[in-house]
Amino acid sequence: MGIAVGDLIHTLAAVVGLSAILMTSTLAFGVVKYLGSAYLVYLGIRALLEKSKKLKNLLLRK
């Protein structure tokens, strides 16, 4: 339980620090926003390609 509490405190400290930086810097907020968006697009494309690959393998087995 001690490790879990330590992880929680560390995570909260990181969130507070990141929030403080993002509140003071418009540029940092924009960078984080666009990087997050790009990462979500990447994950979506990867999921679609993986699903397509699995479907192709399933159809070839029959």
Side-chain angles (χ1 to χ4, degrees), residues 4-45:
V5 172
D7 285 342
L8 177 65
I9 292 170
H10 184 266
T11 302
L12 288 174
V15 168
V16 169
L18 183 60
S19 295
I21 291 170
L22 294 178
M23 288 180 69
T24 59
S25 173
T26 306
L27 177 65
F29 178 74
V31 168
V32 170
K33 183 172 68 170
Y34 287 116
L35 285 176
S37 297
Y39 182 64
L40 289 176
V41 168
Y42 165 75
L43 289 177
I45 291 171

